Amino acid sequence: MDPSIRPPDAEAARGAGDDAAIETARTQPNGSCVGAADENHGETEACACATHRDAAVDCLPDEELLYDLADLFKVFADTTRIKILYALMGREMRVADIAEAVGATQSAVSHQLRTLKQAHLVKFKRDGKSVLYSLSDGHVYTVLAQGMSHICE
């Protein structure tokens, strides 16, 4: 699937929510931030000066949050799961349709969907005897788009 294809709500996913997510990632519960601005540096995300370098150690997220983030990124470490996420961009699909789209067996797709559901990256709803899967929200699209943008630079 073409990585430039965007779901209908892609602009909403890329809008102010991205800034809020970046600020949340950079801002700690005590209000300090990893790349603080000051009168000598202006706005910075990763200043290498001694003041900010030393302060960054004090503002690392809690260990539990770091483990959770690492676990989330592990979910993205499987090509089949990435294919499934791309197949679901902007539409709902049944397991059989996903399997056909990504070139995998229904059993393999079901197994990967379970992992994606546990990570809250996909959601599902019943449609009679069928189950329809879709991306959970715009954040999933944003993570994929940012990753693709990064590797294509």
Side-chain angles (χ1 to χ4, degrees):
M1 173 181 277
D2 182 354
S4 65
I5 295 174
R6 293 185 178 164
D9 62 347
E11 290 307 313
R14 296 182 66 230
D18 284 350
D19 295 337
I22 291 167
E23 193 57 34
T24 300
R26 292 179 52 207
T27 304
Q28 305 309 309
N30 65 5
S32 61
C33 101
V34 173
D38 65 22
E39 62 278 355
N40 297 323
H41 295 83
E43 182 64 28
T44 140
E45 288 190 30
C47 181
C49 76
T51 302
H52 289 130
R53 188 175 55 243
D54 294 341
V57 173
D58 295 333
C59 355
L60 287 174
D62 292 335
E63 198 73 18
E64 185 177 337
L65 288 174
L66 292 173
Y67 281 118
D68 290 345
L69 184 59
D71 285 342
L72 175 64
F73 282 118
K74 287 177 189 175
V75 174
F76 288 98
D78 182 89
T79 307
T80 301
R81 288 192 289 262
I82 297 292
K83 287 179 183 179
I84 291 169
L85 293 173
Y86 266 97
L88 293 174
M89 281 189 171
R91 61 182 166 218
E92 297 177 326
M93 297 178 77
R94 293 173 174 78
V95 173
D97 298 328
I98 297 169
E100 184 179 329
V102 302
T105 65
Q106 288 186 37
S107 175
V109 168
S110 292
H111 175 76
Q112 299 302 343
L113 283 168
R114 183 172 53 248
T115 302
L116 293 167
K117 284 189 295 187
Q118 289 171 342
H120 306 286
L121 297 174
V122 298
K123 61 184 178 182
F124 66 97
K125 70 178 183 181
R126 294 217 172 266
D127 181 26
K129 291 185 178 184
S130 297
V131 178
L132 294 172
Y133 292 89
S134 61
L135 296 182
S136 288
D137 56 35
H139 294 113
V140 180
Y141 169 79
T142 301
V143 170
L144 290 170
Q146 289 292 319
M148 189 63 74
S149 175
H150 180 74
I151 63 170
C152 291
E153 286 182 346

